[in-house]
Coordinates of all heavy atoms in Angstrom, one line a residue:
T1 N 53.7 110.1 110.0 CA 54.2 110.3 111.3 C 54.9 111.7 111.3 O 55.5 112.1 110.3 CB 55.2 109.2 111.8 OG1 56.3 109.2 110.8 CG2 54.5 107.9 111.8
P2 N 55.0 112.4 112.5 CA 55.6 113.7 112.5 C 57.1 113.5 112.8 O 57.7 114.5 113.3 CB 54.9 114.4 113.7 CG 54.5 113.3 114.6 CD 54.2 112.1 113.7
A3 N 57.7 112.4 112.5 CA 59.1 112.2 112.7 C 60.0 112.8 111.7 O 59.5 113.2 110.6 CB 59.4 110.7 112.8
S4 N 61.3 113.0 112.0 CA 62.2 113.5 111.0 C 62.4 112.5 109.9 O 62.4 111.3 110.2 CB 63.6 113.8 111.7 OG 63.4 114.7 112.8
T5 N 62.6 113.0 108.7 CA 62.8 112.1 107.6 C 64.3 112.1 107.2 O 64.9 113.2 107.2 CB 61.9 112.4 106.4 OG1 62.2 113.8 106.1 CG2 60.5 112.2 106.8
L6 N 64.8 111.0 106.7 CA 66.2 110.9 106.3 C 66.2 110.2 104.9 O 65.3 109.4 104.6 CB 67.0 110.0 107.2 CG 67.0 110.3 108.7 CD1 67.6 109.2 109.5 CD2 67.8 111.6 108.9
V7 N 67.2 110.5 104.1 CA 67.4 109.8 102.8 C 68.8 109.3 102.9 O 69.8 110.0 103.1 CB 67.3 110.7 101.6 CG1 67.6 110.0 100.3 CG2 65.8 111.3 101.5
L8 N 68.9 108.0 102.9 CA 70.2 107.3 103.0 C 70.6 106.7 101.6 O 69.7 106.2 100.9 CB 70.0 106.1 104.0 CG 69.5 106.5 105.4 CD1 69.3 105.2 106.2 CD2 70.5 107.4 106.1
A9 N 71.8 106.9 101.3 CA 72.3 106.4 100.0 C 73.8 106.0 100.1 O 74.5 106.4 101.0 CB 72.2 107.5 98.9
S10 N 74.2 105.1 99.3 CA 75.6 104.7 99.2 C 76.3 105.5 98.2 O 75.8 106.0 97.2 CB 75.7 103.2 98.9 OG 75.1 102.9 97.6
V11 N 77.6 105.7 98.4 CA 78.5 106.4 97.5 C 79.0 105.5 96.4 O 79.5 104.5 96.6 CB 79.7 107.0 98.3 CG1 80.6 107.8 97.4 CG2 79.2 107.9 99.4
K12 N 78.8 106.0 95.2 CA 79.3 105.3 94.0 C 80.8 105.4 94.0 O 81.4 106.5 94.1 CB 78.7 105.8 92.7 CG 77.2 105.5 92.6 CD 76.7 106.0 91.3 CE 75.2 105.8 91.1 NZ 74.7 106.4 89.9
Q13 N 81.5 104.3 93.8 CA 83.0 104.3 93.7 C 83.4 104.7 92.3 O 83.0 104.1 91.3 CB 83.5 102.9 94.1 CG 83.2 102.5 95.5 CD 83.9 103.4 96.5 OE1 85.0 103.9 96.3 NE2 83.3 103.6 97.6
G14 N 84.3 105.6 92.2 CA 84.9 106.0 91.0 C 86.3 105.5 90.9 O 86.8 104.7 91.7
I15 N 87.0 105.9 89.9 CA 88.4 105.5 89.7 C 89.3 106.4 90.6 O 89.3 107.6 90.5 CB 88.9 105.6 88.2 CG1 88.0 104.7 87.4 CG2 90.3 105.3 88.1 CD1 88.3 104.9 85.9
P16 N 90.0 105.8 91.5 CA 90.9 106.6 92.4 C 92.0 107.3 91.6 O 92.6 106.7 90.7 CB 91.4 105.7 93.4 CG 91.0 104.3 93.0 CD 90.1 104.4 91.8
W17 N 92.3 108.5 92.1 CA 93.4 109.3 91.4 C 94.8 108.6 91.5 O 95.6 108.7 90.6 CB 93.5 110.7 91.9 CG 92.3 111.5 91.5 CD1 91.2 111.9 92.2 CD2 92.1 112.1 90.2 NE1 90.4 112.6 91.5 CE2 90.9 112.8 90.2 CE3 92.9 112.1 89.0 CZ2 90.4 113.4 89.1 CZ3 92.4 112.7 87.9 CH2 91.2 113.4 87.9
N18 N 95.0 108.0 92.6 CA 96.3 107.3 92.7 C 96.5 106.2 91.8 O 97.6 105.9 91.3 CB 96.6 106.9 94.2 CG 95.6 105.9 94.7 OD1 94.5 105.7 94.1 ND2 95.8 105.4 95.9
F19 N 95.4 105.5 91.4 CA 95.4 104.4 90.4 C 95.8 105.0 89.1 O 96.6 104.4 88.4 CB 94.1 103.7 90.4 CG 94.0 102.6 89.4 CD1 94.7 101.4 89.7 CD2 93.3 102.7 88.2 CE1 94.7 100.3 88.8 CE2 93.3 101.6 87.3 CZ 93.9 100.5 87.6
I20 N 95.2 106.1 88.7 CA 95.5 106.8 87.4 C 97.0 107.2 87.4 O 97.7 107.1 86.4 CB 94.6 107.9 87.2 CG1 93.2 107.4 87.0 CG2 95.0 108.8 86.0 CD1 92.1 108.5 87.0
A21 N 97.5 107.8 88.5 CA 98.9 108.2 88.6 C 99.8 107.0 88.5 O 100.9 107.2 87.8 CB 99.1 109.0 89.9
I22 N 99.5 105.9 89.1 CA 100.4 104.7 89.0 C 100.4 104.2 87.6 O 101.5 103.9 87.1 CB 99.9 103.6 90.0 CG1 100.2 104.1 91.4 CG2 100.6 102.3 89.7 CD1 99.5 103.2 92.5
I23 N 99.3 104.2 86.9 CA 99.3 103.7 85.5 C 100.1 104.7 84.7 O 100.9 104.2 83.8 CB 97.8 103.6 85.0 CG1 97.0 102.6 85.8 CG2 97.8 103.4 83.5 CD1 97.6 101.2 85.6
F24 N 100.0 106.0 84.9 CA 100.7 107.0 84.1 C 102.2 106.8 84.3 O 103.0 106.8 83.4 CB 100.3 108.4 84.5 CG 101.0 109.5 83.8 CD1 100.7 109.7 82.4 CD2 102.0 110.2 84.4 CE1 101.4 110.7 81.8 CE2 102.7 111.2 83.7 CZ 102.4 111.5 82.4
V25 N 102.7 106.6 85.6 CA 104.1 106.4 85.9 C 104.6 105.2 85.2 O 105.7 105.1 84.6 CB 104.3 106.4 87.4 CG1 105.7 106.0 87.7 CG2 104.1 107.8 88.0
L26 N 103.8 104.1 85.3 CA 104.3 102.8 84.7 C 104.4 103.0 83.1 O 105.3 102.5 82.5 CB 103.3 101.7 85.0 CG 103.3 101.2 86.5 CD1 102.3 100.2 86.7 CD2 104.7 100.7 86.8
L27 N 103.5 103.7 82.5 CA 103.6 103.9 81.1 C 104.8 104.8 80.7 O 105.4 104.5 79.7 CB 102.3 104.6 80.6 CG 101.0 103.7 80.5 CD1 99.8 104.5 80.1 CD2 101.3 102.6 79.5
M28 N 105.1 105.7 81.6 CA 106.3 106.6 81.3 C 107.6 105.7 81.5 O 108.5 105.9 80.7 CB 106.3 107.8 82.3 CG 105.2 108.7 82.0 SD 105.0 109.3 80.3 CE 106.4 110.3 80.2
I29 N 107.6 104.8 82.4 CA 108.8 104.0 82.6 C 108.9 103.1 81.4 O 110.0 102.9 80.8 CB 108.6 103.2 83.9 CG1 108.8 104.1 85.1 CG2 109.7 102.0 83.9 CD1 108.5 103.4 86.4
V30 N 107.8 102.5 80.9 CA 107.9 101.6 79.7 C 108.4 102.4 78.5 O 109.2 102.0 77.7 CB 106.5 101.0 79.4 CG1 106.4 100.3 78.1 CG2 106.2 100.0 80.5
A31 N 107.9 103.7 78.3 CA 108.3 104.5 77.2 C 109.8 104.8 77.3 O 110.5 104.8 76.3 CB 107.4 105.8 77.2
A32 N 110.3 105.1 78.5 CA 111.7 105.4 78.7 C 112.6 104.2 78.4 O 113.6 104.4 77.7 CB 111.9 105.9 80.1
V33 N 112.2 103.0 78.8 CA 112.9 101.8 78.5 C 112.9 101.6 77.0 O 114.0 101.2 76.4 CB 112.4 100.6 79.3 CG1 113.0 99.3 78.8 CG2 112.6 100.8 80.8
F34 N 111.8 101.8 76.4 CA 111.7 101.6 74.9 C 112.6 102.6 74.2 O 113.3 102.2 73.2 CB 110.2 101.8 74.5 CG 110.0 101.5 73.0 CD1 110.1 100.2 72.5 CD2 109.7 102.6 72.2 CE1 109.8 100.0 71.2 CE2 109.4 102.3 70.9 CZ 109.5 101.1 70.3
A35 N 112.6 103.8 74.6 CA 113.5 104.8 74.0 C 115.0 104.5 74.2 O 115.8 104.6 73.3 CB 113.2 106.2 74.5
L36 N 115.3 104.0 75.4 CA 116.7 103.6 75.6 C 117.1 102.4 74.7 O 118.3 102.4 74.2 CB 116.9 103.3 77.1 CG 116.9 104.5 78.0 CD1 117.0 104.0 79.5 CD2 118.1 105.4 77.7
V37 N 116.3 101.5 74.6 CA 116.6 100.3 73.7 C 116.7 100.8 72.3 O 117.7 100.3 71.6 CB 115.5 99.2 73.9 CG1 115.6 98.2 72.8 CG2 115.6 98.6 75.3
L38 N 115.8 101.6 71.8 CA 116.0 102.1 70.4 C 117.3 102.9 70.2 O 117.9 102.8 69.2 CB 114.8 103.0 70.1 CG 113.5 102.3 69.8 CD1 112.4 103.3 69.5 CD2 113.6 101.3 68.7
R39 N 117.6 103.7 71.2 CA 118.8 104.5 71.1 C 120.1 103.6 71.1 O 121.0 103.9 70.4 CB 118.9 105.5 72.3 CG 120.1 106.4 72.3 CD 120.1 107.3 71.1 NE 121.3 108.1 71.2 CZ 122.1 108.4 70.2 NH1 121.9 107.9 69.0 NH2 123.2 109.1 70.3

């Protein structure tokens, strides 16, 4: 057919940056508490 052609696809979900930032902040808090207890 002489119709326009389209290619449709879904976007693959990756790991969101805010999730990585939250994990990093939580690890830093745990490290700080651990250092305070050791001190």
Side-chain angles (χ1 to χ4, degrees):
T1 60
S4 300
T5 56
L6 307 167
V7 176
L8 305 172
S10 60
V11 177
K12 292 181 183 177
Q13 295 294 326
I15 298 174
W17 287 104
N18 59 351
F19 181 71
I20 294 171
I22 289 170
I23 296 296
F24 179 73
V25 168
L26 289 176
L27 287 175
M28 294 307 290
I29 290 171
V30 168
V33 169
F34 184 69
L36 288 174
V37 168
L38 286 179
R39 179 68 179 133

